[in-house]
Amino acid sequence: MAVPVSQMWTVASYVLRQKLAGRKRYPLVLMLEPLFRCNLACAGCGKIQYPTHILKKDLSVEDCFKAVDECGAPMVSLPGGEPLMHPQIAEIVEGLVARKKYIYLCTNALLLKEKLHLFKPSKYLSFSVHMDGQKEHHDFSVCREGGYDLALDGIREAIKAGFRVTTNTTLFDGADPNSVRNFFDEMMDVGVESMMVSPGYSYDKAPDQKHFMGRARTRRLFRTMLSNRKKTWRFNQSPLFLEYLMGKRNYKCTPWGMPTYNIFGWQKPCYLLQDGYAESYKELMETTEWASYGTESGNPQCANCMVHCGYEPSSVNDTFGSLRGFADTVKATFSLYPDKDALSDLDRETRPVHSYNPLVQINDQIDAQIDVAAAAPQAEESRA
């Protein structure tokens, strides 16, 4: 199965309890960012663009546990930055497992083989490896030649050691649906548990602002890519959210569904936007003007967003909001979505709107910034 039965039951029972309690706003996944520094500088990511003194900072283990307990979500995502660079990441994971939280440790897997001995296989822990497609496309997207092979090596070692492994793929304008479909085959052949896929979001700090898709192009890509799918493909996502990406459903954003906590505090309103910070989860929920966000709000920052952190909670809410929603989810789980028009679109040449604006590659300045940030924790430990 794409997700273990125990995890499905935990999430389902949690959502139903929120429904029965009459809560309209509740967290589904806590996005817990223990640090921003990374050993890559991907063109579509804004995290590495922080100044060096920010990249040197880590969330303490105690702050991580406090945020998890305060929020109460059944699942915790550990993005970054690169979480495996946190000097106490193993202690953080151990504490979350003890709390019986389902953890997705998001990693580019460059350090996975080296750090694997720090962790123990558990049904609560999954390494969510960021893979941006087949080898050539992945290496170009992460701006590092050989990145795909290193990540794949880490995936294989983790699977061999008995860990749960999923993949996380972000797609940008110009993505070839045929190549992505072949990538799905590759990941299933390697033996990953399941896959997650989402359109990219235009971070203000990202070096490349030319390759983020609008909503119409996103729907066209995902309809072409996910229709006529293979039975072997397993997705670690709500089936209704995938239908939303394909243009088969309309949802309003649920920005509170995946709240974010990082070194600055509770980020308003979501993982993708930074409109201030709150000191507590309670303050985040009570002081954020939620009506100012989402496509329907007219906020230009939200106009083209279709990313999972805002819309997957909406689809989960739909699943458990009515018998029809649940029935639609069951039907979608087993559908292969036959579509002749989408099949013919696979024969069309894929061209990005900005065909003469190649992805921005990392430069020497960014390389130096990564080296300084990565070396900081080791230097401090040596002085201690």
Side-chain angles (χ1 to χ4, degrees):
M1 296 184 68
V3 178
V5 173
S6 60
Q7 181 175 333
M8 294 173 61
W9 173 249
T10 296
V11 174
S13 58
Y14 167 81
V15 174
L16 288 173
R17 286 198 303 272
Q18 308 308 309
K19 292 282 187 181
L20 292 172
R23 298 189 182 98
K24 293 183 178 181
R25 294 173 182 161
Y26 55 88
L28 185 66
V29 181
L30 169 61
M31 308 292 283
L32 180 64
E33 295 181 287
L35 78 176
F36 290 143
R37 67 181 174 275
C38 189
N39 48 1
L40 288 176
C42 305
C45 177
K47 302 296 182 179
I48 195 67
Q49 304 302 320
Y50 282 104
T52 302
H53 74 280
I54 296 297
L55 295 178
K56 290 180 180 180
K57 294 184 177 181
D58 301 322
L59 274 180
S60 69
V61 175
E62 292 74 19
D63 283 342
C64 289
F65 294 162
K66 181 181 177 182
V68 170
D69 295 340
E70 189 179 358
C71 175
M75 294 185 287
V76 178
S77 176
L78 295 172
E82 170 51 59
L84 291 180
M85 294 177 70
H86 193 292
Q88 294 173 292
I89 189 60
E91 188 176 345
I92 293 171
V93 168
E94 184 179 4
L96 298 185
V97 169
R99 286 167 168 77
K100 297 184 178 180
K101 301 294 183 181
Y102 285 92
I103 310 152
Y104 286 91
L105 194 158
C106 305
T107 175
N108 57 41
L110 299 185
L111 296 173
L112 188 52
K113 283 183 63 176
E114 175 187 336
K115 302 286 187 177
L116 204 57
H117 70 281
L118 298 175
F119 306 94
K120 297 178 181 179
S122 168
K123 70 176 183 179
Y124 294 108
L125 172 63
S126 175
F127 291 109
S128 178
V129 180
H130 191 88
M131 299 289 281
D132 272 335
Q134 292 187 288
K135 181 176 180 178
E136 182 178 357
H137 184 78
H138 175 83
D139 287 357
F140 194 63
S141 293
V142 303
C143 308
R144 173 163 179 169
E145 187 175 352
Y148 179 92
D149 290 333
L150 287 171
L152 197 62
D153 199 20
I155 288 174
R156 287 181 172 132
E157 285 297 316
I159 293 174
K160 182 180 178 181
F163 288 94
R164 295 178 58 193
V165 180
T166 61
T167 57
N168 179 3
T169 302
T170 305
L171 299 178
F172 298 91
D173 186 29
D176 180 358
N178 284 292
S179 176
V180 178
R181 289 168 66 89
N182 290 334
F183 166 75
F184 291 160
D185 290 336
E186 291 175 2
M187 293 301 99
M188 292 294 95
D189 289 342
V190 170
V192 302
E193 178 181 286
S194 54
M195 305 173 289
M196 189 175 81
V197 61
S198 186
Y201 176 81
S202 53
Y203 287 101
D204 289 339
K205 293 179 178 291
D208 183 351
Q209 293 291 324
K210 298 293 186 180
H211 286 79
F212 295 101
M213 293 182 288
R215 295 171 73 87
R217 289 183 70 83
T218 295
R219 293 188 185 102
R220 177 76 175 267
L221 170 63
F222 278 83
R223 179 191 174 194
T224 304
M225 183 177 67
L226 295 177
S227 296
N228 309 295
R229 68 183 65 168
K230 297 183 180 180
K231 293 181 179 180
T232 54
W233 296 349
R234 298 186 300 274
F235 294 100
N236 181 32
Q237 291 174 282
S238 161
L240 299 189
F241 173 66
L242 295 180
E243 287 194 346
Y244 164 73
L245 293 178
M246 296 167 70
K248 296 181 178 293
R249 292 180 177 273
N250 289 313
Y251 284 125
K252 293 182 179 180
C253 179
T254 305
W256 57 83
M258 295 189 183
T260 297
Y261 184 79
N262 55 40
I263 60 173
F264 299 124
W266 292 94
Q267 182 171 307
K268 296 183 178 182
C270 67
Y271 180 67
L272 303 174
L273 296 180
Q274 293 172 304
D275 285 351
Y277 291 86
E279 293 186 4
S280 68
Y281 176 72
K282 185 175 185 292
E283 180 186 339
L284 171 75
M285 297 302 293
E286 293 180 351
T287 63
T288 303
E289 296 182 6
W290 299 111
S292 299
Y293 302 99
T295 308
E296 299 76 13
S297 69
N299 188 329
Q301 293 180 290
C302 304
N304 288 311
C305 180
M306 297 180 71
V307 183
H308 68 97
C309 64
Y311 291 92
E312 187 147 20
S314 306
S315 67
V316 172
N317 185 66
D318 189 12
T319 294
F320 296 101
S322 66
L323 289 176
R324 180 174 180 177
F326 184 78
D328 286 349
T329 300
V330 173
K331 180 181 178 182
T333 300
F334 299 100
S335 178
L336 300 180
Y337 300 96
D339 186 327
K340 291 182 179 180
D341 291 334
L343 197 61
S344 64
D345 280 347
L346 289 172
D347 296 327
R348 297 176 185 268
E349 183 180 0
T350 303
R351 291 185 179 183
V353 172
H354 299 279
S355 57
Y356 297 104
N357 290 284
L359 285 170
V360 178
Q361 297 294 300
I362 54 176
N363 54 36
D364 294 337
Q365 183 179 0
I366 296 297
D367 280 333
Q369 188 178 29
I370 293 174
D371 292 340
V372 170
Q378 289 84 350
E380 291 175 3
E381 290 176 4
S382 298
R383 287 195 295 271

